[in-house]
Amino acid sequence: MQIGILGGGQLARMLALAGHPLGLSFRILEPASECPASVAAYHLRGEYEDFQALYSFCQGLDAVTYEFENVPVASARWLNERVPVFPTPDALEVGQDRIAEKTFFQKLGVAVPPFAAVDSRAHLDAAIARIGLPAVLKTTRFGYDGKGQTVLRNADDVESSWQTLGGRPLILETFVPFDRELSILAVRGRTGELAFYPLVENVHRAGILRVSTSPASGITEDLQAMAENIATKALEALGYVGVLAVELFLVGDELLVNEMAPRVHNSGHWTIEGAETSQFENHVRAVAGLPLGSTAAVGQSVMVNLIGGWPDPAAVLAIPGAHLHLYGKQPRPNRKVGHVTVRADSDAELVDRVRRLRALRVDPG
């Protein structure tokens, strides 16, 4: 079976690496001349809006997936008329627009932070009057890793934020005083089979995910069930196939949906070594119509992103339980160039190993 992937970054690379042992082969469509996934898949260079490239790409494929949510929906729908695309183009459409995303979860009866669409300065003033400050102003599309957003802490921030982001569709969201940032990774197969990974706790700095810990500490069965119920509603409503990540704010005993990602997700990288079946393998299993694998955690894991550069690989690998993943990217400020997952069987062991990793200054960004 041959699977196509739209996008050639590190997520496509890890998807292909997970699928090869299952007898699957991969083709990627990627505009850049060089990309991380080309070491593991045939690289067809082309633009996502180029229908001649899309035609060449889909020849002989059994299914298509994507590694990022900004694939043009029209291209995904065109491909879906010729070869199954998973997750569905409908999921892609919801996941790439923050207004559509928030509205989607509201209709499912899932709590989200108060929000308002902003198309003009007058709309911004009206939204602030309704929602209040502090708040977060974001582009409705294309923002990631802290890009395309700014915090309005008081009235003095309004004009500068508008000057930075105004002139395009925006969303204003209440600034949520959360207790913790969590994420749930869920997977749904072609037959409707469901599986869920343990809730993960995430730490961001400057809008970029730095550390994920799994399983998140102190998670009750009720909280895990609440997160799984949120994910299930989204999966079923979208007829979803593959891995879905839902980012959540924990406020007291309540979960609010922040965002969803219709793809494998950075907060699930720990699963490569820290779960019975990685998110990448389960995604390709789902797309290929194969039975899903166990999502049970193997011990405890901390995933640390490598931002902007990386320490001496030998020093990382000298730490017991440490697993290094470099993406084949050139170092650049605020760029994710790899990650390290540290696994252990006890809290004390994990704390000591992570302390040793952090001493290497793994996050120069």
Side-chain angles (χ1 to χ4, degrees):
M1 178 175 284
Q2 188 167 37
I3 295 174
I5 305 175
L6 295 166
Q10 65 263 22
L11 299 182
R13 175 183 177 128
M14 288 183 275
L15 284 169
L17 290 172
H20 283 309
L22 307 182
L24 305 175
S25 61
F26 295 84
R27 180 188 303 157
I28 57 172
L29 181 67
E30 164 62 45
S33 59
E34 297 181 2
C35 62
S38 62
V39 300
Y42 175 79
H43 177 191
L44 176 64
R45 189 178 181 187
E47 300 292 335
Y48 306 121
E49 301 91 343
D50 181 343
F51 287 94
Q52 286 189 328
L54 290 171
Y55 178 79
S56 297
F57 170 68
C58 72
Q59 297 305 299
L61 294 181
D62 297 287
V64 170
T65 188
Y66 43 88
E67 65 142 16
F68 71 115
E69 58 267 45
N70 291 323
V71 171
V73 173
S75 298
R77 294 197 189 286
W78 187 90
L79 284 169
N80 198 43
E81 293 174 357
R82 292 154 177 83
V83 59
V85 174
F86 301 120
T88 63
D90 287 346
L92 182 68
E93 189 168 31
V94 170
Q96 63 184 214
D97 183 282
R98 289 187 170 97
I99 297 289
E101 189 176 68
K102 292 287 194 299
T103 303
F104 169 73
F105 279 104
Q106 276 189 330
K107 288 180 178 178
L108 293 177
V110 174
V112 299
F115 69 96
V118 173
D119 293 319
S120 67
R121 177 56 196 269
H123 283 170
L124 176 58
D125 291 339
I128 291 171
R130 179 160 66 86
I131 290 175
L133 297 178
V136 184
L137 186 65
K138 303 177 181 179
T139 58
T140 59
R141 300 168 69 90
F142 300 116
Y144 66 97
D145 286 348
K147 300 177 179 69
Q149 60 182 272
T150 181
V151 178
L152 287 64
R153 301 191 182 279
N154 53 57
D156 293 337
D157 296 329
V158 176
E159 180 59 27
S160 61
S161 295
W162 178 253
Q163 291 299 321
T164 300
L165 296 178
R168 48 191 155 172
L170 303 172
I171 180 173
L172 187 74
E173 301 176 8
T174 294
F175 186 90
V176 178
F178 57 83
D179 297 311
R180 304 165 77 181
E181 288 184 281
L182 304 173
S183 59
I184 181 79
L185 283 95
V187 58
R188 184 175 184 269
R190 286 205 195 187
T191 62
E193 178 186 3
L194 297 174
F196 305 92
Y197 290 93
L199 273 166
V200 177
E201 181 166 5
N202 302 309
V203 175
H204 291 78
R205 190 170 72 251
I208 301 175
L209 179 63
R210 307 289 169 157
V211 178
S212 294
T213 301
S214 183
S217 63
I219 298 298
T220 64
E221 290 184 6
D222 286 346
L223 195 62
Q224 178 74 28
M226 192 185 309
E228 292 182 8
N229 182 55
I230 290 170
T232 298
K233 288 182 176 181
L235 292 167
E236 299 291 355
L238 293 167
Y240 200 94
V241 172
V243 167
L244 173 73
V246 183
E247 297 180 71
L248 304 159
F249 294 131
L250 178 63
V251 183
D253 295 326
E254 184 180 14
L255 288 174
L256 302 178
V257 170
N258 178 27
E259 294 182 348
M260 78 173 210
R263 55 175 171 79
V264 287
H265 192 256
N266 195 177
S267 68
H269 289 0
W270 64 273
T271 61
I272 297 174
E273 290 85 24
E276 290 282 353
T277 312
S278 77
Q279 66 163 342
F280 301 99
E281 181 177 334
N282 258 335
H283 186 83
V284 296
R285 284 191 187 206
V287 168
L290 298 171
L292 302 182
S294 169
T295 54
V298 179
Q300 303 169 59
S301 301
V302 169
M303 188 281 301
V304 179
N305 273 329
L306 301 176
I307 312 293
W310 55 86
D312 176 15
V316 174
L317 297 175
I319 300 170
H323 302 270
L324 176 65
H325 298 262
L326 297 178
Y327 302 151
K329 291 181 170 182
Q330 291 300 311
R332 190 171 72 202
N334 296 320
R335 188 184 205 191
K336 293 175 182 173
V337 293
H339 72 269
V340 178
T341 298
V342 181
R343 206 196 65 76
D345 294 322
S346 69
D347 286 337
E349 195 173 51
L350 187 64
V351 167
D352 178 66
R353 291 175 178 181
V354 172
R355 177 191 59 77
R356 291 175 59 182
L357 179 64
R358 286 177 170 155
L360 301 178
R361 299 178 61 84
V362 295
D363 184 358

